[in-house]
Amino acid sequence: MKPELGVCYYPEHWPETQWAEDAARMRETGLSWVRIGEFAWSRIEAEPGKFTFDWLDRAIETLGAAGLKVVLGTPTATPPRWMLDKHPDMLAVDAQGNPRKFGSRRHYCFSHMGYREESARIARILGERYGKNPHVQAWQIDNEYACHETTLSYSRAAVEGFRDWLAQRYQSPEALNRAWGNVFWSMEYADFSEIDPPNLTVTEPNPSHVMAWRRYSSDALVAYNAAQVGALRPLTNAPLIHNYMGRVLEFDHFDVGDDLDIASWDSYPIGFLSDRLDDSPEHKRRYLRQGDPDMQALHHDLYRAVGKGRWWVMEQQPGPVNWAPYNPAPLPGMARLWAWEAIAHGAEAVCYFRWRQAPFAQEQMHAGMLRPDSAPAPALGEAAQVAAEIEALPEIRLAKAPVAILFDYPSGWAWETQPQGADFDYFELILETYRGLRKLGLSIDILPVDSDTSDHPLLLVPGLFELPDALKLRLAARKGITLIGPRSGTRGPEFNIPLPLPPALPGLDATIALTESLPPSAPEPLAQGGAIIRWLERLEGTADVVEETASGQPVLMRSGGLHYLAGWPDAQALARILFRACGELGIETRDMPEGLRLRDTEVYRFYINYAPEAVSFDGLEIPAAGIAWKETK
Amino acid sequence: MKPELGVCYYPEHWPETQWAEDAARMRETGLSWVRIGEFAWSRIEAEPGKFTFDWLDRAIETLGAAGLKVVLGTPTATPPRWMLDKHPDMLAVDAQGNPRKFGSRRHYCFSHMGYREESARIARILGERYGKNPHVQAWQIDNEYACHETTLSYSRAAVEGFRDWLAQRYQSPEALNRAWGNVFWSMEYADFSEIDPPNLTVTEPNPSHVMAWRRYSSDALVAYNAAQVGALRPLTNAPLIHNYMGRVLEFDHFDVGDDLDIASWDSYPIGFLSDRLDDSPEHKRRYLRQGDPDMQALHHDLYRAVGKGRWWVMEQQPGPVNWAPYNPAPLPGMARLWAWEAIAHGAEAVCYFRWRQAPFAQEQMHAGMLRPDSAPAPALGEAAQVAAEIEALPEIRLAKAPVAILFDYPSGWAWETQPQGADFDYFELILETYRGLRKLGLSIDILPVDSDTSDHPLLLVPGLFELPDALKLRLAARKGITLIGPRSGTRGPEFNIPLPLPPALPGLDATIALTESLPPSAPEPLAQGGAIIRWLERLEGTADVVEETASGQPVLMRSGGLHYLAGWPDAQALARILFRACGELGIETRDMPEGLRLRDTEVYRFYINYAPEAVSFDGLEIPAAGIAWKETK
Amino acid sequence: MKPELGVCYYPEHWPETQWAEDAARMRETGLSWVRIGEFAWSRIEAEPGKFTFDWLDRAIETLGAAGLKVVLGTPTATPPRWMLDKHPDMLAVDAQGNPRKFGSRRHYCFSHMGYREESARIARILGERYGKNPHVQAWQIDNEYACHETTLSYSRAAVEGFRDWLAQRYQSPEALNRAWGNVFWSMEYADFSEIDPPNLTVTEPNPSHVMAWRRYSSDALVAYNAAQVGALRPLTNAPLIHNYMGRVLEFDHFDVGDDLDIASWDSYPIGFLSDRLDDSPEHKRRYLRQGDPDMQALHHDLYRAVGKGRWWVMEQQPGPVNWAPYNPAPLPGMARLWAWEAIAHGAEAVCYFRWRQAPFAQEQMHAGMLRPDSAPAPALGEAAQVAAEIEALPEIRLAKAPVAILFDYPSGWAWETQPQGADFDYFELILETYRGLRKLGLSIDILPVDSDTSDHPLLLVPGLFELPDALKLRLAARKGITLIGPRSGTRGPEFNIPLPLPPALPGLDATIALTESLPPSAPEPLAQGGAIIRWLERLEGTADVVEETASGQPVLMRSGGLHYLAGWPDAQALARILFRACGELGIETRDMPEGLRLRDTEVYRFYINYAPEAVSFDGLEIPAAGIAWKETK
Ligand SMILES: [Zn+2]
Ligand SMILES: [Zn+2]
Ligand SMILES: [Zn+2]
C-alpha cells in the first residue's frame, strides 16, 4: 500500500456552491483523504433530538464523487450549548474548583456518565447513517484528547468515579491505607467516601494518592473513548482512529490505542518548537522555521507503537499557526519535508490541516493550503510535489530498527508527581535519549513496556518508574545490550520504594545507596569527559564499572549485556555510551552533521535536512529544508 | 488664557484649624486651583441619606476666600461601607468569579444599575448644593476610571447587561452566530440568555466574543459616567472633567470624553517608567529619576484629543510615589520640567498631587508638596518657580503639528484579544512610532480615527485594526503622505478577516499573502539597514517598493502618497522611513541628542531635557532635567 | 550539662519486631533522645473517642528500656480524617476563599475554637497517660507552626475571631477608623461586624488593616499553642518544646516562646539554601552541599533568644531532602559540622531527622540516618563521631557576645505589608547585618526588643519598624555604640508615620526628609567606597556625619555613641561601618577567609569551615566541611 495525502475540511464553514470546486482542487493536488465533521455537532443536532443530515449527506456525496475518501469525525469534542441545559454538571472542573465555561472546546468531563452516553448516542446515530456509506472509509473519534490539559477534572462526577475506582482496586480502606502508607501523616481513611482528589492540600499530597488519581483519570478517558468505539463497531467496517497531540502524556495512549485500529497524531513542528520544547535559545533560533529535528520523528515512532503498526499524521502544519507564543512561517520545503519524514517512518496517510484558512473565529490566523480568498498558500504546491513523488516511487516498507526505547505513560505521571529535581521530566529524558541515537544516524523503534524486544540488539530503558519482577527477568535474559536507568525501577506499583533497594536487577550487583538531584549550575563531570546533569544515583556493588565520575564514583555498571546507568548523561556522555554499545553490537553508527537525520526503511535510506543550510553527505547534496533518499538494497 | 497651577487637597484629612494656613501657602506658591472631595463620601453621607455638608461648606469657603478655585470631585470611586448593605451585588467580580472586597477603592461594577443610580444621586445632591457656588469652578467625576484593571467585571449585573447589549446589537442569535462564526466549534447559541462573558473557557474563546465583551464593558463605563453627567449638567455651568490614568486602554476614552468638557490625566513619570513601560534596563536606568522622555508627551497629545482641545494634568507627581516596584526621587528640576512640558503641549492647568503627604493609610509613602510635618518638600519650590515663570511669559498658544497619528482604543482591545505574537502590543507600537517622530525633533498631534487630517502633511496609521471603506477612501484621497500599517485594516468590525484580503487600499496594489510573528531572537534584516521585528506581513502586488528585506521581500510599498508598511520597524528602520517621508514633504527634521526633545507652540519652541546631563543645542545650554524656550516667530 | 544527640523516630511506620534493634543501634551511635508520636493521631485515636495506646506504651517502654529519653509530640499538626466530620469548618481557608483539603498536613485553622479544644483534649489525654512516665523527658507541641504558610487563614472562624480581637483592641469603630486613617478612601466602618480580612481587595488595602490582621493571626496561633500548654502543664514536669522552622516570620515566636520551656528548630541547611535564601547563583553554587555559612548560626542565635537561653535543634538534615527545588547530598563532614556548630551556639540537643528513610508517602526521598533497607546512611557515622567527641570534651558553656542585634517579628510583617521597594525584606536585612559581623570573626547575640543590652558594647537595630519612646530613651542612654536604621522607628504602632518625623532620636539631630527605594541597577555610591542599595533616606540635621554619598548626602550620622544609618549598605560599606565601630569599642575583629566562621564560647573558640576547600587560620588547618576548636582561656 502506498502512502496517501489528505486534508482537513469543514464544509459547514463554506457555501455549498464551493464544495465541488474545493473537492476538484483537492484531487488535482493529489490528495486522497478528506477529514470532516469533527466539530459540527451544532449543525447536525441543533436542538436535542432534532437532526439535520441533508447538508452532511450532500457534502460526503460531493467529496466522494470527486474521488476522495472521507474520514468522518464524531463531534464530541465540542458539545453544543444545549447539552449544558441537559447536563449542567458535565463541565470539567479545574483544580481550584471552578467549572470551565462554554464558548471554546473540550469543556466536558470524561467521568460524566450522562455526557458519555450522549457521546455514544451521537456516535451511534452517525454510524447508523454513514457506517456503510462507501465514501466514509475511516472514522475519527473525538479530537485531540487531553489537549489544553483536559484529562484531569475535579468535578463531582470525577470524585465519585474515583471513589468507585479506588474501591474496586483496593477492596478495603485498610488495604488502601497500607498501600499508600497513609499512616505517615495520619492520612488514614475509614471509608472510600472520605477520599477526594489530591488538589488544594496545604502542602504536597501523598504521591501514591496522586498516582492513583492519575491512573483513574486516564482510565476514565479510556472508558469514555471505548463507549464511542462500542457504539460504532457494530455499524461500520471502516477503521476507527483518534488524533492524538504532541507531547501529551496525561493519559495512557497505549490503552486508548488498544481499542482503535489506527493511531494518528497532529504534527505542528514549528508551533511545538515554540510552545513545548525545552531547549536552548540558540537551538530554537536555528530551527525556528523547521521545527526540532527529532521531535516529529520521535512522535512518529511512538504513535506507530500506539497504533500497533498502523498510523497517520491526521493534521500536518502547512504554514504559520495561531496558538504558539510566536508564529513564524516554515522555510520553503518544510511542508514537503515533514510529509516525507512521516512516510519514511511508516505513515499510511498525511493530512494537512486545513484546506482553506478560516477568516473567522479562534483559528483565523492558522494558515491552510489555501488562503482565505482561495488563492494557493505555499503548502499547496509542496503537497502536490509530495503526491507526485509518491506516485513515482514504489511502496515504502518499514524495516525493524536496531535500537528500541521502552516508553511508558505512567512513568510520565510518576515523575511529574515526584520530580525531586525541578527539571526532571520524563519526556525530556526520552527525547534526549532518542536524539542521542539519531545523532549517530540510527533508526529507532519506540515500544510499550510489554513488548517483545528480542529482535532489537540494543534496548534502552530510561526512567521507567516501575520494573516488575517478570520484566526484570525478561530484560536480564535478553541477548545484546540492555541499558536501564536512570531512575528505572525505583518505585513499586503503589509508588513506594521497593526493597531490596533498586534497581535490584538479576545478576547485576549494583544498588542505589543515595540519590541526588543537581541544579543546572552543578553538573558532575565524568572521568572520560562530559558530565552527569540533573540526576545522580550513588551506586554500590561489585558489577563492572564502565563509566565513573571524575572523583571515581561509578555511574554506569554492567554485568554482561545488562547495564545500569545511574544518572542523566549530558549529550557528550550519552554519545560515548551509545557509541560504545553500538560498537560492541556491530551496529553501524554515523557522525551526523548538525540538523541532518537518517531514516532507514526496507529499501530506502532517507536523508532529512532540518538545517537552514545545504549539507553534503554520502555523496548527496541535500538542500536546506530538503529531503533525499537512495536505495540501500 | 494663561496656564495655571493647582494641587489636590483633602480637608477631611486635616484639622480644620489648618485649612486657612494651607490655603494661604497654596496662594503664596502661586497655585490657582485646588481639587477636593473625590474620596470623601463617608464624610458627606456617613449613613444612607444622612448628609453632613457643614465641613465641606466651610472647606470650600476657606479655600475660595483665599483666592483659590475649587475642583469638586464626585466621590463615587470610593462607595462607603453601608453601600454594600444596600447593594450586596454591586461589587466588581474578577475573572475567576470572586467578588472583590471592601477596604480599598474602585470596588464597584460599572454595570450595576443600583450603584449607577446611587452615583447619579450623590452627584445630583452635590450639584444641587455646590453647582452655583462661585468657588466651585470645575467638577471632577469619579477618579481614574479603569485604574487597577477595573473595567472588566464578571458580575451578574454585567452578565445581564452584556446579554441586553448583544440583543440590541445583533437582534437575533442567528445574526450573532453568523457574525462571530460560531459554527467553528459548535459554539452556536439559540438564545441571548445562553451567552456568558468569555472567561474560564478551556482554551481561548472566540475573539469575536471577546471583542464584543470588550466593547460592551467600555460602553457600560461610558454609560456610568453619562449618568453622573446627566445629573450634574442641569445644575452647574462649570466644566465637567475626568482624570484618566496613564497607559490605560481598557475603555474608549474618546467616548467618555464626548460627554465631558475637559480631559485631564494623572501623570506619574517615574512610577510609570518603573511599572508600565516596556524598555531595556539601560533605558530605565538612564531615566530612572526623570521618566521616559516620550511617555508624558504622548499622553499630553492623546488627552488633548480626548478633551477636544481642552485638557489638564489633574495629578502631577511631585516626588517619590508609593506604588511602583521601586520609588526613587525625581532629579531636582523635574517637578518644574514636567509642568512646563504639559504647558508646552497645551495644558490649561497642572495640579500637583498632593498638598501634604498623608502620614496614614495606603499612600503614606507618596510624597506631596509638603512633608507630613508641613515642611516644604522639594516640589514646592519648583512649583513656585513655574508659577513665576508663567507670570513672566505671555500666553502660550498651540500650533498645529506637521504630523498626526491616528489612535484607536478598540485596536488596543483587538490586539490584546489576538496578539498572535506574544509581544504585539498596540500601545507600544504607538509609543515607538511617536518616539521615532520625536527623535527627529517633531511635534505631533494624536487624533481619533474620524478626524479631519487635511492639515497634517504626514499621517501615520499603525495597527488600526479596522479600516472601514469610508476611511480608506478618505485616506487614499489625502494629500501629503499617509503611512498605514503594520496590521492596519486586517480585521472587520466583528473581528473577521475581510475579503478581499487586507489592506485592500484604493489605488495601492498590495495584498498581505501571509503573516508571521517573530520572536525577539529573529529580527528580519532590511536591505537598507535596520530590521523588521515582531511582525512581518508578506506583501504581493505591483505597487512601488520603498523598503524590502535583505532577501528581497517588499516591506514598504506605495502608490503616490499612500504607503503600506508591512512590518514592525526597529528604531533604525523607522527613523529612515520617517526621515524620507519628512524630506519628501519638506518637513524640517533634526537629529536630537539622546533625551532632548522639542515642542513647538505658536510662538515658542521648548527644549525639554530628560537627560541626566546638560546638553548644548541650538545655541542653548540646557541643564540636566532642565527646560528652555525661545521664540521662533 | 553536656550537649546531647537524638533522632526522630516513627515506631508506627515499622514492624514492632524492629523497635528493639532500632533502639539498640541508636544507643550504639551515641544518641540520647528520640522524638516520637507527632504525626500519629490516627493510630492513637482511630475513631472519635476510641483510643489505642498499647502500641505507644510498648514503643516508649522499648525505647526507654534501651536507655533513650523520649520527646513525645502532640499529634495536632495532622488531625485525622474523622475530625472533618466533627468540625467541617475547621479547615484553613486560603486568600482566594478556598478551603484547604485533607490529605497532607497543617490543614487546620488556628482560629477554630472547636479544633482548638480538640487539640487541648488530645494533649490532656496524652499528658494524663504519659505525663509522669519516666522515659518521657520532654514534650513537643504540634509541629512546625506556620510551615507551608499556614498562619493566615480566611475562614469564617478567623473572620469572627478578628472582629472580636478588633473590638477588644479598639473598643469603638470610631477609634479604629481614627487609628487606621480610614477617612482616606471612605473606608470608615460603623460596626466591627463590617470588617473583613484584607484579602481580595481591588488594589492594596490599608496597611494598618493588614498589620492588625497580621497581629491577630499571630495572636490566634499563640492562643492555640497556649491551649495545649494549659492542658499539659498540670500533668507533667518535663519541659514543653516547639520545633520552629527556618526563615518563618509569620507569627511572633517570642510570644509562643514565652509559654514554653525550650525553643527548638528544624535545620535543613541545604534545603534552605535552595528554597529560601536570596543570594547570587555563584554563592549558591559554592555552598550547594554545605548550606549558607551564616543561615544556621543566625537561627541558632535567634532561637536561643526565643527559648530564653534554652534551645535545641529538633530536626537536623542528615542527607538529601525531598522538598527543595534541587536536592543534592551534603559534603562528607557536614552532618558533623552542623551538629557542632549548633553546640557551639549553645544547643542542649541536636536530633537528626529521621532514623530510617521511609519508603512510602510524601517524604520517601528524604534521607535518614539509615537507608530504607536499614543499612547505614552517611549521617550515621558522622553522628557517632560527634557523640564520641562530645564525650571527650568537657562541658561547653556560653559566653556573652560583644555584639547584639535586636530582632522583631512585627517588623517582618510591617515591611511585607509595605515594602515600598520590591526587594526590601526584613529577614534579608537582618541576615546581611549578621553576615557582616561574622565576616569580621564576631560572635553575636540576637535579642528581642525589650532586652537588657547593657552588656553588649555594640548594638544594631536595623529595620525595627516601631521605636516607642521608652525604647528610644533606653537606646539613647546606652553606653557603647548603638547603630539604628535603616527605616527604624519610621512607623507608629498603628502603622502611621509618626510626628515629629523619624527617627526622632533623643540627642541626635537627624530627620528623614525624604525616602527612596532603589532598583538593583541604581546603587548610590558612598564617598568612602561601597554603596547604598535598595533603600536610601535623605537625612537633615546637625548631627555629625560619619558616612555620606559620593554626592555629599549624609548617610550615617551620630551623636556620641548613638548612630542613625539612613540606608541599606552593601557588603563593602557595611564592613567599613562595623569595622570602625568595633575599632572604637576595642572589639577585636578578624578578616575571615571566605566561608570560614568563628564562634566563641566560654573556653573554646570554634572554627567552622563551610568552604569546599581546606583553609589555614590561626595555625590550624581546617579541612573542607570541617570544624576545629581550641581553648582561648
Ligand atoms: Zn488541531
Ligand atoms: Zn491617583
Ligand atoms: Zn520537618
Side-chain angles (χ1 to χ4, degrees), chain A residues 582-596:
Chain A
C582 289
E584 198 172 318
L585 294 164
I587 300 171
E588 184 203 17
T589 57
R590 312 290 300 274
D591 191 13
M592 298 304 296
E594 171 65 27
L596 184 68

Side-chain angles (χ1 to χ4, degrees), chain C residues 35 39 105 143-144 147 243 245 266 268 315 323 353 363 366:
Chain C
R35 182 190 66 166
F39 297 127
R105 64 177 187 178
N143 183 76
E144 295 175 352
C147 197
N243 60 326
M245 264 303 260
D266 295 349
Y268 291 95
E315 300 184 8
W323 44 261
F353 180 89
E363 295 179 353
H366 193 303

Side-chain angles (χ1 to χ4, degrees), chain A residues 519 521-523, chain C residues 273 280-290:
Chain A
S521 63
Chain C
L273 180 96
S280 69
E282 297 68 37
H283 183 87
K284 291 201 171 195
R285 174 72 191 88
R286 177 169 168 83
Y287 295 105
L288 183 68
R289 296 169 179 284
Q290 305 101 285

Side-chain angles (χ1 to χ4, degrees), chain B residues 10 35 39 105 143-144 147 243 245 266 268 315 323 353 363 366:
Chain B
Y10 299 90
R35 183 190 66 167
F39 296 127
R105 63 177 189 177
N143 183 76
E144 295 176 349
C147 196
N243 61 327
M245 264 304 260
D266 295 349
Y268 291 95
E315 300 183 9
W323 44 262
F353 180 89
E363 295 179 354
H366 193 303

